[in-house]
Amino acid sequence: MADIIFYIIALSTCLFAFLTVASRDVFHSAVWLSLTLLSVAAIYFYLDAQFLGVIQVLVYIGGIITLFIFAIKLTAKIGDKTIQQANEQALLSGLAAFVFFIILFKMIALHPWAELQPQAPVFSLEDIGKSMLTTYVLPFEFLSLLLLAAMVGAIVIGKVRK
Amino acid sequence: MFRQIKVIYLGFISLLIGMRVTAQNFFAPAVTLDYPRKKKPMEHNFRGMVDLIPPDCVICYQCIKICPTAALFLSHTQKVEAEKKVKEITKFTFNAELCCFCGLCDEICPTDAIFMNKLYEVSAFSHDQILSIDLMNPNKYKHLDSNYSLDAEINDNKLRTVGIAPKPAPAAAAVAPAAGASPANPAAPAAPGPTTSTATETKPADGGPTTNPTTENKQPS
Amino acid sequence: MMNLLIGGISVVGFISLSAMFLIWLERKISAHIQNRMGPMICGWHGSLQSIADSLKLLLKENIVPSGADKLVWSLAPFFVTVPVVMAFLTVPFSKTLIVRDLNVGILYVASITSICVLGIFMAGWGSNNKYSLLGGMRSAAQIISYEVPLLLSIVLVVMEAGTLSMQGIVQAQEQGWYVLKPNLAFAFLIYLISSTAEVNRVPFDIPEAESELGAGYHTEYTGMKFAMFFVAEYTNLVVVSAIATTLFLGGWQGPLLPGLFWFLIKVYGLVCLSMWVRWTLPRVRMDQMMTFAWKVLTPLSILNLLVSGWWMVR
């Protein structure tokens, strides 16, 4: 029963990822991308990594996809042209991709992976919070500084020049 | 800075005041009526559809002559009954499409046989129902309003006649019944309805020749 | 497994009934505030009016605008409705009635409702209509602006409770509801204002204003798709009221009646409050709304956070 859910989620991820790269319109690609990321969040939830799933939705879909869509639709250049899907080398590159897929599949399927315990070790939320502010406080502060620099840069770049 | 804080504070207080007003209005009674179930009665001089009291009509043709749009049609015959000539209405129809609801037929009728009732829900499903309404039929408006009853409308009309101001209390008025009231309704009443306190009817005290009520009422009292 | 299924189905049933009830309630409350009577004909005082309206919406013709981007236009109602329904996953209806008590409950709700922005923008863009586009863009800007004070006031509650899980927050209010503490009362106020802006309700309903912009981003939707937007709006209102109840008003706690009754009373009390404010205030202009979010609410909530944090560790 649980397996079927995983297959459905995995299938939807692959399907939406394929549609992302196969759309001719950039806006459609962004929409399919958001659904792909939602499926990835579903995988995280399936693996009981709830915090990670929630952060995935909040940051990726709530932030990054919104940014994509604003960038596509509110700037005149990106959204206008349709993307050319295939050029004259389509068949050859498709064959190369298929061969690559076969190699990867054989490698992954034939590798003796170690069986994980049925219950993966669960890190509680408090541990994540504590480690962010004790062990990893330097990257944490540095990241916030980076975000500040990015925001200031965005404002400077986007300012209307008199 | 402080001005901004004050602005925000005032905004919040104004929200609370507004909410109090809204809450007061929430508990106040509604000013609209639940229309199909509750209907408001019309004013005393409301001109609805044209209606007829067949026994009172003296077939004088005044209403036909005065109707500005020729909406009324009357035809009569003469018969001999007990050695007297008796006139009888054969057809008295009313075209509601042509009628402009002016009320002149009501005002000029000497016996107040034709009058305007208080019916205002007058939609019909087809033209045939309103092109020639038979005024002799007591159920003429049943298809428009199933609560229609000729007697109720006659009763309404006794108190409130188009073109006639309602009478003051009987103790105050030593005058004879108002001009235009039919001799068949001797009790032209002291109307308890909404008195407009404009013209009171002037009337020759000894019931002279019935005068035209419209011109009568325009004379200063 | 079976529990989850039953929980999910009952939540969906609750949402449908609740949306229909709320539509009727809104019409009645607005009518009485305006000294009139509202729907009176279908059922006792118009209580079956919602069912009649739903039937009518089902039977309406499904018109697709000619220049519309069909994929985006058709998907938009789902992007708006599904996240709102998903947010009910962690709402604690009573001590035992919760679909799944995730240990990141409140963060989950905040993240899921941020998907609505996408749906609204898609609706606005896909309709190929200037009014819809304007409405969609304004709404997207409004929602992402008001998410900041919303999340900051939620953070204050989480700081106070020490846990992100919804049942945990309700349990932490056993000594006293959070709305009785001054800093959290202020956060409650900020939460109420931000959540009104999140669900596009007056005074912040520029995007779907009925008398400007046609009908905003859902102009071009008819029939069932419009019904989905409509239901999504009222369900969103119930969601934010449910979150407010859980975070600030003590959830399902109450003296005599079972928890579910208290929860529903509180939620519908907040919903009625929202409707009361709706019919009191005029609409706020777009620039006033953005000014208010960034220059008033965000600094105030950050200040609140600082003061509360200092008070907690002093």
Side-chain angles (χ1 to χ4, degrees), chain B residues 152-176:
Chain B
E153 296 292 345
I154 294 175
N155 214 18
D156 249 357
N157 186 51
K158 269 195 215 163
L159 307 173
R160 308 181 260 188
T161 304
V162 169
I164 308 294
K167 305 188 69 55
V175 296

Side-chain angles (χ1 to χ4, degrees), chain B residues 4 8 12 14-15 17-20 22-23 25-37, chain C residues 28-30 32-37 40-43 45 189 273 276-277 279-281 292 296 300:
Chain B
Q4 273 186 326
I8 295 171
F12 186 63
S14 71
L15 168 66
I17 296 176
M19 282 170 80
R20 189 177 78 140
T22 312
N25 271 310
F26 182 76
F27 293 108
V31 299
T32 56
L33 287 178
D34 186 10
Y35 169 62
R37 298 177 197 157
Chain C
K28 278 307 229 187
I29 289 184
S30 70
H32 281 281
I33 287 180
Q34 295 168 351
N35 286 335
R36 57 188 175 89
M37 276 186 295
M40 296 283 280
I41 301 202
C42 286
H45 274 257
L189 203 59
L273 182 72
W276 186 6
V277 169
W279 296 104
T280 309
L281 290 177
F292 189 58
V296 174
L300 279 178

Side-chain angles (χ1 to χ4, degrees), chain A residues 28 50 58 69 73-74 125, chain C residues 69 103 121 125 137 164:
Chain A
H28 291 185
Q50 293 157 359
L58 190 60
I69 289 188
K73 285 308 179 187
L74 300 181
L125 211 52
Chain C
D69 200 347
N103 64 339
F121 192 78
W125 185 270
M137 289 194 339
L164 279 174

Side-chain angles (χ1 to χ4, degrees), chain A residues 20 23-33 68-69 71-73 77-83:
Chain A
T20 308
S23 305
R24 272 193 271 159
D25 185 4
V26 175
F27 191 54
H28 291 185
S29 296
V31 170
W32 295 128
L33 183 64
F68 277 3
I69 289 188
I72 292 172
K73 285 308 179 187
K77 302 291 173 55
I78 306 183
D80 282 347
K81 307 186 271 291
T82 52
I83 307 178

Side-chain angles (χ1 to χ4, degrees), chain B residues 163-165 178-179 198-202 212-221:
Chain B
I164 308 294
T198 46
T200 59
E201 50 289 333
T202 65
N212 192 345
T214 36
T215 56
E216 194 66 13
N217 279 345
K218 287 201 178 88
Q219 293 170 9
S221 51

Side-chain angles (χ1 to χ4, degrees), chain C residues 33 37 51 155 164 257 288:
Chain C
I33 287 180
M37 276 186 295
I51 301 184
V155 161
L164 279 174
L257 304 169
Q288 287 172 341

